[in-house]
Amino acid sequence: MKIISSVAELRDQLRGQLRTAFVPTMGNLHEGHLSLMRLARKHGDPVVASIFVNRLQFGPSEDFDKYPRTFADDIEKLEKEGVYVLFAPTEKDIYPEPQEFRIQPPSDLGNMLEGEFRPGFFTGVTTIVMKLFSCVQPRVAVFGKKDYQQLMIIRNMARQFALPTEIIAAETWRAEDGLALSSRNGYLSEAERADAPALYRELNLVADAVRSGQRDVAQLSEAAMARLAAYGWQPDYVAVRKRVDLQSPSAADLEAGEPLVVLAAAKLGKTRLIDNLEI
């Protein structure tokens, strides 16, 4: 595996490659990330991964400085997966000058749910993804469904800008107790880790209620948030939305069987976890 930090060197290395499959990450890799590498290989060759902790998507009170960085372990894992190139730029490589041009997602999608509780997050995400796409020029790129709203925004961005990159969605990888794998799970204490699967259980309770014919999705969401709070969590949202655009479903949508997804974000101690479940 070649480890490259320079944009110019990366372009030289990939020149002439027409089927590149790309997996962008912020490192601290776990089995969920590695499953993305395997899926990428099914859709293209060579597989290129990136590791870059993107300052633009962190708010002033968020965890940029303490975000887990495990570069040596990450290299070993990627080599075992047969990744061809690891693009690991420094901040100077990726932002040689202040990034004054930014991508701004539409407010009806970018300012709800995660965007409401993390202002500017999706601007930072879409800006770095667009820049990485420009550097790697992949035919396909793989993103996990755990970040459901992010996946939708990136897919819409690629379509509206007519990017020559197909966005592939990968299913969420879970631990045996249902907890969605996340780099931030490492922040959990032993007791918190034991309590963490409660978030996925609440998603299932809401999904099961909707499948059984309950139509007051707002009430279902409020009840799930109340239960999480009673368990000692600090919920930001539990929301049932339409898969197509993440807008709230109307009564007619519910009666017609519109495909739905229930999404949630909540803090357990100091760790903020997100998850979702398609209905």
Side-chain angles (χ1 to χ4, degrees), residues 39-262:
L39 182 58
R41 173 156 286 103
K42 294 180 180 179
H43 290 273
D45 182 66
V47 175
V48 175
S50 67
I51 293 176
F52 181 68
V53 183
N54 177 40
R55 188 184 297 272
L56 291 187
Q57 70 194 66
F58 287 79
S61 62
E62 293 184 336
D63 57 347
F64 175 80
D65 289 326
K66 69 172 185 175
Y67 192 86
R69 292 161 171 84
T70 54
F71 194 62
D73 287 343
D74 293 344
I75 289 172
E76 184 177 341
K77 291 173 181 176
L78 293 175
E79 286 179 333
K80 288 180 179 177
E81 293 299 331
V83 169
Y84 175 61
V85 168
L86 168 60
F87 181 43
T90 65
E91 283 197 282
K92 188 67 173 177
D93 289 312
I94 209 74
Y95 299 127
E97 58 185 285
Q99 187 67 38
E100 295 170 339
F101 287 88
R102 308 278 181 102
I103 302 292
Q104 182 64 51
S107 59
D108 63 342
L109 181 57
N111 292 343
M112 67 164 81
L113 301 172
E114 284 300 282
E116 177 183 351
F117 289 92
R118 301 184 68 186
F121 172 68
F122 288 121
T123 295
V125 168
T126 50
T127 299
I128 188 58
V129 169
M130 180 69 90
K131 194 153 193 176
L132 289 170
F133 281 1
S134 176
C135 296
V136 178
Q137 299 181 21
R139 190 187 72 82
V140 300
V142 180
F143 293 84
K145 281 189 178 181
K146 186 182 81 70
D147 298 288
Y148 204 91
Q149 187 177 6
Q150 171 179 283
L151 169 65
M152 178 173 287
I153 287 173
I154 291 170
R155 182 171 273 160
N156 290 358
M157 179 186 76
R159 184 184 68 251
Q160 290 195 12
F161 279 106
L163 300 181
T165 302
E166 178 186 359
I167 307 302
I168 305 294
E171 296 297 328
T172 301
W173 196 277
R174 299 185 181 278
E176 289 185 3
D177 58 7
L179 178 65
L181 296 195
S182 168
S183 296
R184 288 185 169 92
N185 291 353
Y187 297 155
L188 298 169
S189 68
E190 185 176 346
E192 289 168 343
R193 176 60 187 83
D195 292 339
L199 189 63
Y200 185 51
R201 289 198 297 270
E202 288 301 321
L203 293 177
N204 277 281
L205 286 173
V206 173
D208 289 345
V210 173
R211 293 188 190 106
S212 71
Q214 295 189 44
R215 294 291 176 257
D216 190 344
V217 294
Q219 191 278 329
L220 292 173
S221 298
E222 291 170 5
M225 290 181 68
R227 288 191 296 269
L228 284 169
Y231 302 150
W233 293 64
Q234 299 168 270
D236 284 342
Y237 61 83
V238 176
V240 177
R241 299 296 175 92
K242 295 187 292 183
R243 289 189 212 173
V244 67
D245 57 10
L246 294 188
Q247 301 300 310
S248 298
S250 66
D253 291 329
L254 294 168
E255 289 302 322
E258 175 78 26
L260 304 172
V261 58
V262 54

